Amino acid sequence: MDETVAEFIKRTILKIPMTEMMTILKAWDFLPENQLQTVNFRQRKESLVQDLVLLCESKRASLRDAALLDIIYTQFHRHQKVWDVFQMSKEPGEDVDLFDMERFKSSFEKILRRALKNVTVSFRDAEENAVWIRIAWGTQYRKPNQYKPVYVVYYSQTPYAFTSFCHLKSNAPLLSQKFETHNSTMPLQETLELDMHMDSRIIHENRIEKERVQRVTQETFGDYPQPRLEFAQYKLETKFKSDFHGGILAERKEPLRCLIKFSSPHLLEALKSLAPAGIADAPLSPLLTCIPNKGMNYFKIRDK
């Protein structure tokens, strides 16, 4: 196995949380289950990764195998990506039917390689007639960078495609320009016929909810700049409560104590931006929104 492939697999496995390790490795289906059973999954992660890489070396894992593992990891953590949504349109009167996914993959890769020599393209079929495409870009003089790929999720029965952030701006148009298709009476075309553009309806998705969040945020914080504050501190003292009887904590008479501190160069503006950014629900907790009204940034919270 090539050293670059071994390093690629090592880095990918290091990203996988221990709680998901076995699930993702089984989904990868590269290492047989009887080999996985010989691995000690309770050892330190660095040692575990080394053992798994050695097994991959014994099976002569290829770059394609390593890329497939990366796709599976990304599928499990797709919520961590920022996705753009494109809708493919067709010419008036054009009758486009569902096409052969295998022929699509072959032609998609051929067209990308025609436009850019140094590129690695990998595919993985998913549920609901979707295909995941992983593209590692290179340049005219450099091999593809396997650590900054772009992912495309395409649903063959819909006109929509989802693309992750592309680090190489010069290559982004290759994805956003066109997609191939064919219908029942015409062969798969080597020219790219379907222009892709942002669907205006998707841009305004959840418009009513966004307007509500904006309204609630303005009612809470106002439409003026917030006072500058760099931190807020909360001391919590509470008795342990549980539906289960018994246990050391349930018998504890002293309250549980903890200290929570929020800090930011401009804390109130940061809190004001949470709901509009989709990071928190609106309205925010009164424990956070009361800071300007009370003129305090030290709070002690006790049981009533």
Side-chain angles (χ1 to χ4, degrees):
M1 184 172 68
D2 188 88
E3 289 184 6
T4 57
V5 175
E7 181 64 21
F8 183 15
I9 291 176
K10 176 182 176 182
R11 291 197 194 184
T12 303
I13 296 177
L14 280 171
K15 294 189 297 184
I16 303 174
M18 291 298 292
T19 54
E20 300 173 359
M21 187 70 71
M22 183 61 79
T23 303
I24 290 179
L25 290 176
K26 285 183 177 180
W28 188 27
D29 199 27
F30 178 74
L31 296 174
E33 190 165 347
N34 61 341
Q35 279 192 323
L36 292 177
Q37 290 175 354
T38 65
V39 178
N40 179 13
F41 283 86
R42 295 185 178 182
Q43 62 183 316
R44 292 179 57 189
K45 192 170 187 179
E46 291 77 7
S47 302
L48 170 62
V49 171
Q50 189 61 35
D51 290 347
L52 292 172
V53 171
L54 288 174
L55 288 177
C56 293
E57 287 180 347
S58 67
K59 288 205 64 181
R60 298 181 180 180
S62 65
L63 180 60
R64 185 176 294 274
D65 297 320
L68 182 60
L69 176 61
D70 182 66
I71 292 177
I72 295 171
Y73 169 81
T74 304
Q75 287 177 317
F76 272 76
H77 296 270
R78 53 186 176 270
H79 58 281
Q80 296 178 355
K81 296 287 183 183
V82 177
W83 299 90
D84 289 325
V85 186
F86 293 90
Q87 181 183 27
M88 295 182 291
S89 61
K90 58 183 180 179
E91 295 297 326
E94 186 179 8
D95 182 21
V96 179
D97 199 355
L98 305 180
F99 53 81
D100 187 329
M101 186 62 79
E102 293 305 315
R103 296 177 66 189
F104 163 75
K105 293 177 186 176
S106 173
S107 192
F108 181 89
E109 183 173 4
K110 187 184 298 182
I111 290 171
L112 272 185
R113 292 189 179 280
R114 185 184 301 164
L116 186 65
K117 180 180 179 181
N118 287 326
V119 62
T120 302
V121 186
S122 306
F123 302 90
R124 184 173 192 262
D125 294 329
E127 69 284 351
E128 299 177 353
N129 295 312
V131 59
W132 278 67
I133 309 171
R134 181 186 186 275
I135 306 167
W137 303 107
T139 65
Q140 185 176 357
Y141 305 105
R142 292 183 180 179
K143 293 182 178 181
N145 185 345
Q146 299 298 334
Y147 304 108
K148 292 184 178 180
V150 62
Y151 303 90
V152 178
V153 185
Y154 178 63
Y155 290 84
S156 65
Q157 296 184 359
T158 76
Y160 298 106
F162 303 82
T163 66
S164 66
F165 176 74
C166 185
H167 293 271
L168 286 177
K169 299 295 184 182
S170 58
N171 291 335
L174 289 175
L175 289 179
S176 60
Q177 281 175 3
K178 306 178 183 224
F179 252 91
E180 296 178 307
T181 189
H182 78 91
N183 58 33
S184 57
T185 60
M186 297 176 61
L188 184 65
Q189 301 173 8
E190 293 296 339
T191 57
L192 299 179
E193 297 245 342
L194 297 182
D195 290 334
M196 296 177 65
H197 56 81
M198 290 298 293
D199 186 351
S200 59
R201 294 171 299 175
I202 295 178
I203 293 175
H204 298 291
E205 186 179 15
N206 296 330
R207 178 175 55 84
I208 296 176
E209 173 62 15
K210 289 179 180 178
E211 289 176 353
R212 184 193 73 83
V213 169
Q214 196 66 38
R215 185 181 67 255
V216 171
T217 301
Q218 185 169 339
E219 291 173 354
T220 304
F221 291 94
D223 55 359
Y224 45 80
Q226 299 299 301
R228 183 173 292 275
L229 184 68
E230 294 189 354
F231 73 93
Q233 185 171 293
Y234 297 82
K235 270 189 176 180
L236 175 65
E237 293 184 5
T238 181
K239 289 283 186 71
F240 178 79
K241 300 178 181 67
S242 173
D243 294 334
F244 300 97
H245 299 290
I248 297 175
L249 292 177
E251 298 173 357
R252 179 188 172 101
K253 295 182 179 180
E254 287 293 316
L256 298 173
R257 296 181 176 88
C258 69
L259 179 67
I260 302 172
K261 185 176 182 179
F262 297 91
S263 60
S264 168
H266 208 323
L267 179 62
L268 294 179
E269 284 292 345
L271 294 175
K272 183 179 179 180
S273 66
L274 288 178
I279 300 174
D281 294 331
L284 296 178
S285 167
L287 292 172
L288 298 174
T289 59
C290 73
I291 295 175
N293 295 331
K294 291 184 177 293
M296 299 167 53
N297 62 342
Y298 287 91
F299 298 89
K300 184 172 284 188
I301 306 169
R302 294 190 178 97
D303 291 331
K304 294 182 178 180

